[in-house]
Every structure is written in C-alpha cells, then in structure tokens.
Amino acid sequence: MKRLIIKMQNQHAFEFVSMADVTDEFNATEHLQCPEPRDKFHLWKAPWQLAYISAVSFIQTLKLLKRHKITGIVSTGPGMAVIPSLLFRLLGKKVVYIESWSRFYSASATGLFMYKIANQFYVQNKSMLEKYPKATYSGRL
C-alpha cells in the first residue's frame, strides 16, 4: 500500500483516509485502527469476533462517510476491507481491490469475496489470472 500511495501522490494531489490494523503510516487525513476480522489461530472465536468486528467496521465506515467526501476504496487484501467495500459498492462508490503479490497459486478468502463486488480487481502475478479470469494483471506495485 505504501508504494501505491507514493505513486498516486506523485501523479495527483489528493487526500485520503485510512483504515488498518496498524497505526497510521501513510499520513492520512484521518486514520481508524480496526482489528483483523478473524482470529486465524482460534477457530472457536472466529464467528463471534467476525460479528463484532463487522459491526465496528460498519459504524466506522459510516462515520468516515459522514465526515469526508469519499469517492471510493482501495484495498490490498486485509479482510477488514470487506464490510466497507460492500457498503461503498451499495452506495455506488468505486471499489478497487489488489490481490496480494504473495499470492501465486491460491486465492485469498478476501480476494474470493472482493472479486464478486469490486469494480476493478487487480492481480500482481500472472499465475493468478487462472483463479481470477476477469482480473487485470498489474504487475508488482
């Protein structure tokens, strides 16, 4: 994401808000820290955690939409982007998803869902075009 933001800022002046499971590393206009939606190591906690984090993400997204003129979302893979992306898509805003460059042979859980709702879907490895035939190959960011 850092490389993408740097490339975009070099070409266009824009403001952006960010949501991540880490502190703001991008100098965003506003940053919301959101925990990862699932615990990959404790399956019994997953349904409860997913429901709670989905609700938190939904409320945070509504707050961002109220405070800023957001035109779309760009995600590079975390599952936390699914709820905001779904909400943005329902509101007619642009959804762009970039499947992780670390994916060569298998699709991510987030990627499988985002492939169905994203306006633009990019893969960074040509081998992933077999998993996502309608995706656009972008090469590594």
Side-chain angles (χ1 to χ4, degrees), residues 3-14:
R3 281 192 290 263
L4 177 62
I5 289 172
I6 290 168
K7 284 182 179 188
M8 290 175 67
Q9 286 176 328
N10 287 340
Q11 295 177 4
H12 307 285
F14 67 95

Short mmCIF file of all heavy atoms in Angstrom, two decimals, residues 3-14:
data_model
loop_
_atom_site.label_atom_id
_atom_site.label_comp_id
_atom_site.label_asym_id
_atom_site.label_seq_id
_atom_site.Cartn_x
_atom_site.Cartn_y
_atom_site.Cartn_z
N ARG A 3 3.75 1.73 -1.46
CA ARG A 3 4.20 2.01 -2.83
C ARG A 3 3.08 2.60 -3.67
O ARG A 3 3.29 3.51 -4.47
CB ARG A 3 4.74 0.74 -3.48
CG ARG A 3 6.14 0.38 -3.03
CD ARG A 3 6.72 -0.69 -3.91
NE ARG A 3 6.10 -1.98 -3.72
CZ ARG A 3 6.57 -2.93 -2.93
NH1 ARG A 3 7.69 -2.75 -2.28
NH2 ARG A 3 5.94 -4.07 -2.81
N LEU A 4 1.88 2.10 -3.51
CA LEU A 4 0.73 2.60 -4.28
C LEU A 4 0.44 4.05 -3.92
O LEU A 4 0.26 4.88 -4.81
CB LEU A 4 -0.51 1.74 -4.02
CG LEU A 4 -1.79 2.20 -4.70
CD1 LEU A 4 -1.63 2.18 -6.21
CD2 LEU A 4 -2.96 1.33 -4.25
N ILE A 5 0.42 4.37 -2.64
CA ILE A 5 0.13 5.75 -2.22
C ILE A 5 1.21 6.70 -2.72
O ILE A 5 0.90 7.78 -3.22
CB ILE A 5 -0.02 5.82 -0.68
CG1 ILE A 5 -1.33 5.14 -0.29
CG2 ILE A 5 0.01 7.26 -0.20
CD1 ILE A 5 -1.52 4.99 1.19
N ILE A 6 2.47 6.30 -2.64
CA ILE A 6 3.55 7.15 -3.14
C ILE A 6 3.39 7.40 -4.63
O ILE A 6 3.50 8.53 -5.10
CB ILE A 6 4.93 6.53 -2.81
CG1 ILE A 6 5.18 6.61 -1.30
CG2 ILE A 6 6.04 7.23 -3.59
CD1 ILE A 6 6.36 5.79 -0.82
N LYS A 7 3.10 6.35 -5.40
CA LYS A 7 2.91 6.51 -6.85
C LYS A 7 1.73 7.43 -7.15
O LYS A 7 1.80 8.28 -8.02
CB LYS A 7 2.69 5.15 -7.51
CG LYS A 7 3.94 4.34 -7.67
CD LYS A 7 3.65 3.05 -8.39
CE LYS A 7 4.92 2.25 -8.57
NZ LYS A 7 4.72 1.08 -9.42
N MET A 8 0.64 7.26 -6.42
CA MET A 8 -0.54 8.08 -6.66
C MET A 8 -0.29 9.54 -6.28
O MET A 8 -0.72 10.44 -6.99
CB MET A 8 -1.74 7.52 -5.89
CG MET A 8 -2.24 6.20 -6.46
SD MET A 8 -3.57 5.46 -5.50
CE MET A 8 -4.87 6.63 -5.75
N GLN A 9 0.39 9.77 -5.17
CA GLN A 9 0.67 11.15 -4.74
C GLN A 9 1.63 11.85 -5.69
O GLN A 9 1.56 13.06 -5.86
CB GLN A 9 1.22 11.16 -3.32
CG GLN A 9 0.16 10.88 -2.28
CD GLN A 9 0.71 10.80 -0.87
OE1 GLN A 9 1.84 10.39 -0.64
NE2 GLN A 9 -0.12 11.19 0.09
N ASN A 10 2.50 11.10 -6.33
CA ASN A 10 3.41 11.70 -7.32
C ASN A 10 2.67 12.15 -8.57
O ASN A 10 3.12 13.05 -9.27
CB ASN A 10 4.52 10.71 -7.70
CG ASN A 10 5.54 10.52 -6.59
OD1 ASN A 10 5.66 11.35 -5.69
ND2 ASN A 10 6.26 9.42 -6.65
N GLN A 11 1.53 11.52 -8.86
CA GLN A 11 0.78 11.85 -10.07
C GLN A 11 -0.40 12.79 -9.81
O GLN A 11 -0.79 13.54 -10.69
CB GLN A 11 0.27 10.57 -10.72
CG GLN A 11 1.38 9.69 -11.23
CD GLN A 11 0.87 8.39 -11.81
OE1 GLN A 11 -0.33 8.16 -11.90
NE2 GLN A 11 1.78 7.52 -12.19
N HIS A 12 -0.99 12.73 -8.61
CA HIS A 12 -2.19 13.52 -8.32
C HIS A 12 -2.13 14.04 -6.89
O HIS A 12 -1.64 13.37 -6.00
CB HIS A 12 -3.46 12.65 -8.45
CG HIS A 12 -3.58 11.94 -9.75
ND1 HIS A 12 -3.93 12.57 -10.91
CD2 HIS A 12 -3.38 10.64 -10.07
CE1 HIS A 12 -3.96 11.68 -11.89
NE2 HIS A 12 -3.63 10.51 -11.41
N ALA A 13 -2.67 15.20 -6.70
CA ALA A 13 -2.83 15.72 -5.34
C ALA A 13 -4.19 15.24 -4.83
O ALA A 13 -5.21 15.46 -5.47
CB ALA A 13 -2.77 17.24 -5.34
N PHE A 14 -4.20 14.55 -3.72
CA PHE A 14 -5.45 14.07 -3.16
C PHE A 14 -5.30 13.84 -1.67
O PHE A 14 -4.20 13.72 -1.16
CB PHE A 14 -5.91 12.78 -3.84
CG PHE A 14 -5.01 11.60 -3.57
CD1 PHE A 14 -5.31 10.72 -2.54
CD2 PHE A 14 -3.89 11.37 -4.34
CE1 PHE A 14 -4.48 9.64 -2.28
CE2 PHE A 14 -3.06 10.29 -4.10
CZ PHE A 14 -3.36 9.42 -3.06
#
